[in-house]
């Protein structure tokens, strides 16, 4: 069967949850037994977001095949529950790079290289490649940014060209807009949506479906008005109110009838939607239950998007253990200055996520020390494992200036050091140890018990690793290296023996957690945190703070 394409653009403003909406559409189509692939086209000129600041871009999502991609791909994997590949994120930077490299090789035989047709052809090639490689029934293609952005024009032009190349039954254009609310008159306004559709039409695209995001209920008058002014069927104007729970979005979209509308338009036969498991997740997450306070200690905590998959993984694990995860965002810089140390006292579990660069490191080390000394469950992800080892070296092994050579190149004790194969690398883009690698687990360890397996595959993104010169020393004092690369060379998991749950992994388990299948390390961490909370309640808070600003020399 020829693949069908859903092209999804945004209008009016950004940050209305277009990526989530697309992921949710993917879910309701998959629920009908269709094979769905999703792709994000990002109009910026970076080749990938790997070198961008989390302040600019949020989390970098790593695919199994080692691509550093947009965080929307995380939503796609969590909602559709299919692994995407590097083909699912195309940036203008990649497109231009490919075209210019071909030009340098002389592939264009003396032609003048232009945005149309060369750049647009390359964009269309990338879109069709996803369909070919995944053998999907439906490919959903999301264009980043909003209609009217200068840099998205070549992408929209490519979509316009595809409209004529594909038949009417093979393509559908969805435009996601926003309805602002005027408080004084208590009205929702459709004018920005009308303007945004006019902008698209100017480019030659007439949307078939309009998803109107809003924070307020939408009445029929508004729907009729959008349908009339934007020339879209009334049944294809889909109001989508902000949800209290992102996992409810597929159910909300299903309830609008959009799934059947899409199938009808494509003349596709498919089964009735099976959203049973999904409904269970949502109703379970809404049940009233005990609060569990998990602290995420990072340097970008004011921007929660920087830790998107970590946050969602905690939520998944908590839902399945009938706990209400209350995420406490703790700035590692504040801990360094001794300002947030009281916040640690309130926590039931501490998580130190991945990160780069020295800023805030001493605060993360202080958090690891607090967790170790006070038996607070601790999960360290990538950098979080590295700071756990630095803290142990400094305060248990007595190696006072122990550090990572990432933060202090002249430290006498580089317990974390640059990986051998990274030493000659000078380019920053796409050169880390990236993607899925196998890891063997030590029988009887916390990790092996959590996974209930002897070997796993996990996704990586790092340049530094545990320095094997220190393995015996750590081992003798109670650190178990419970996960190793199959050749035994790379430490992938370290855990403390004399602690209820203090575990760090060099990989990023957060990329594998799904709402219907929480990751075993997160589940075990959340379970340990709930046990710690319950024990603490019994002991009536005899805990004392180990973090004083004076400790942070
Ligand atoms: N900066 C560390 C490294 O490169 C950790 C990376 C991370 O946390 N993703 O090894």
């Amino acid at each position: 069967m020829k693949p069908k394409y859903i092209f999804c653009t945004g209008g009016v403003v950004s940050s209305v949850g277009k990526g989530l909406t697309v992921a949710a559409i993917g879910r309701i189509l998959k629920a009908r037994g269709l094979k769905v692939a999703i792709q994000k086209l990002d109009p910026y000129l970076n080749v990938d977001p790997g070198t961008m600041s989390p302040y600019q871009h949020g989390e970098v999502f790593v695919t199994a095949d080692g691509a550093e991609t947009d965080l929307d791909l995380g939503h796609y994997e969590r909602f559709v529950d299919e692994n995407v590949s590097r083909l699912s994120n195309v940036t203008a930077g990649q497109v231009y790079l490919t075209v210019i490299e071909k030009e340098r090789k002389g592939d264009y035989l003396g032609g003048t290289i232009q945005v149309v047709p060369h750049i647009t052809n390359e964009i269309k090639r990338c879109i069709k490649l996803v369909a070919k490689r995944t053998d999907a029934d439906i490919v959903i293609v999301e264009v980043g940014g909003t209609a009217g952005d200068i840099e998205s024009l070549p992408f929209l032009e490519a979509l316009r060209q595809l409209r004529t190349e594909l038949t009417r039954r093979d393509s559908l254009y969805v435009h996601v807009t926003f309805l602002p609310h005027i408080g004084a008159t208590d009205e929702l306004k459709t004018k920005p949506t009308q303007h945004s559709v006019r902008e698209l039409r100017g480019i030659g695209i007439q949307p078939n479906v309009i998803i109107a995001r809003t924070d307020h209920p939408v009445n029929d008058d508004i729907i009729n008005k959008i349908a009339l002014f934007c020339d879209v069927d009334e049944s294809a104007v889909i109001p989508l109110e902000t949800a209290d729970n992102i996992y409810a979005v597929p159910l909300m979209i299903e309830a609008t009838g959009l799934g059947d509308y899409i199938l009808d338009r494509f003349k596709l036969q498919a089964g009735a939607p099976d959203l049973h498991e999904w409904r269970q997740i949502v109703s379970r997450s809404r049940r009233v239950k005990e609060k569990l306070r998990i602290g995420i200690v990072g340097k970008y905590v004011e921007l929660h998007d920087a830790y998107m998959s970590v946050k969602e993984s905690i939520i998944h694990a908590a839902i399945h253990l009938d706990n209400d995860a209350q995420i406490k965002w703790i700035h590692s810089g504040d801990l360094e200055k001794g300002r947030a140390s009281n916040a640690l006292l309130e926590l039931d579990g501490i998580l130190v996520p991945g990160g780069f660069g020295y800023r805030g490191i001493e605060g993360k080390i202080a958090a690891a020390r607090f967790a170790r000394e006070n038996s607070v469950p601790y999960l360290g992800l990538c950098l979080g494992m590295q700071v756990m080892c630095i803290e142990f070296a400094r305060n248990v092994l007595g190696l006072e200036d122990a550090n990572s050579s990432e933060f202090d190149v002249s430290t006498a004790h580089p317990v974390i050091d640059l990986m051998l194969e990274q030493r000659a690398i000078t380019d920053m883009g796409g050169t880390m140890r990236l993607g899925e690698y196998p890891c063997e687990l030590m029988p009887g360890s916390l990790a092996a018990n959590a996974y209930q397996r002897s070997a796993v595959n996990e996704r990586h993104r790092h340049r530094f690793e545990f320095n094997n010169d220190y393995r015996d020393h750590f081992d003798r004092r109670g650190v178990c290296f419970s996960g190793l690369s199959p050749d035994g060379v790379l430490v992938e998991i370290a855990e403390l023996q004399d602690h209820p749950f203090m575990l760090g992994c060099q990989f990023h388990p957060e990329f594998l957690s799904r709402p219907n299948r929480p990751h075993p390390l997160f589940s075990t961490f959340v379970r340990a945190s709930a046990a710690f909370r319950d024990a603490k309640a019994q002991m009536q808070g005899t805990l004392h703070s180990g973090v004083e600003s004076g400790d942070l020399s």
Side-chain angles (χ1 to χ4, degrees), residues 410-431:
S410 57
T411 170
H413 294 292
V415 293
I416 305 295
D417 204 3
L418 198 58
M419 298 200 305
L420 207 58
E421 66 264 31
Q422 288 286 330
R423 301 218 165 142
I425 290 175
T426 48
D427 271 7
M428 297 308 275
T431 55

Side-chain angles (χ1 to χ4, degrees), residues 354-356 381-383 386 406 461-464 506 508:
F356 296 83
L381 310 177
C382 202
L383 180 71
Q386 298 176 355
E406 180 179 3
R461 181 174 185 246
H462 64 118
R463 289 186 204 284
F464 293 80
Q506 190 54 79
H508 291 272

Side-chain angles (χ1 to χ4, degrees), residues 50-101:
T51 51
M52 284 162 90
S53 159
Y55 284 126
Q56 301 258 325
H57 191 270
E59 167 185 284
V60 171
F61 187 81
V62 180
T63 58
D65 62 350
E68 297 173 280
T69 69
D70 187 77
L71 59 75
D72 276 339
L73 272 75
H75 292 314
Y76 302 165
E77 286 205 349
R78 285 187 284 274
F79 279 72
V80 184
D81 199 11
E82 296 278 348
N83 278 2
V84 296
S85 76
R86 62 176 59 249
L87 299 178
S88 279
N89 196 187
V90 175
T91 68
Q94 281 167 29
V95 170
Y96 278 87
L97 191 65
T98 308
V99 170
I100 291 169
E101 276 172 0

Side-chain angles (χ1 to χ4, degrees), residues 163 168 173 193-194 197-198 201 205-210 223-237 261 265:
R163 186 177 194 106
R168 193 184 168 276
Y173 289 71
T193 295
Q194 298 173 37
V197 169
R198 192 177 302 163
R201 282 185 184 147
I205 295 175
Q206 165 64 47
N208 310 108
V209 172
I210 291 181
I223 291 178
N224 296 342
K225 201 166 170 184
I226 295 174
L228 180 70
F229 282 93
C230 302
D231 205 8
V232 166
D233 294 342
E234 270 169 33
S235 57
V237 177
Y261 183 90
R265 155 96 186 194

Side-chain angles (χ1 to χ4, degrees), residues 392-552:
F392 193 86
R394 287 186 190 174
N395 302 314
V396 180
L397 306 183
L399 308 175
E400 267 175 34
D401 84 332
N403 216 329
S404 163
S405 48
E406 180 179 3
F407 315 129
D408 179 2
V409 274
S410 57
T411 170
H413 294 292
V415 293
I416 305 295
D417 204 3
L418 198 58
M419 298 200 305
L420 207 58
E421 66 264 31
Q422 288 286 330
R423 301 218 165 142
I425 290 175
T426 48
D427 271 7
M428 297 308 275
T431 55
M432 282 186 257
R433 181 175 180 234
L434 288 167
E436 200 170 88
Y437 286 92
C439 165
E440 290 184 356
L441 304 172
M442 180 188 283
S445 61
L446 256 180
N449 289 341
Y451 282 105
Q452 295 285 308
R453 311 206 11 207
S454 56
V456 289
N457 286 310
E458 291 280 359
R459 297 186 196 171
H460 296 67
R461 181 174 185 246
H462 64 118
R463 289 186 204 284
F464 293 80
E465 60 165 335
F466 183 83
N467 182 344
N468 285 333
D469 293 347
Y470 293 89
R471 238 201 245 184
D472 285 348
H473 198 173
F474 273 67
D475 191 62
R476 280 198 305 276
R477 298 295 298 275
V479 174
C480 166
F481 296 106
S482 55
L484 298 176
S485 55
D487 59 6
V489 173
L490 296 176
V491 168
E492 304 284 31
I493 307 178
E495 55 187 69
L496 285 201
Q497 269 156 354
D498 192 18
H499 192 284
F501 185 91
M502 187 148 189
L503 182 146
C505 48
Q506 190 54 79
F507 47 80
H508 291 272
E510 68 270 27
F511 296 140
L512 297 188
S513 179
R514 303 282 178 265
N516 50 336
R517 218 173 38 253
H519 190 285
L521 291 183
F522 278 90
S523 293
T524 313
F525 166 63
V526 164
R527 197 176 296 113
S529 303
F532 180 73
R533 172 199 60 203
D534 298 345
K536 207 166 49 164
Q538 271 189 350
M539 281 170 50
Q540 291 292 324
T542 47
L543 210 65
H544 68 279
S545 167
V547 181
E548 304 294 343
S549 45
D551 291 347
L552 301 167

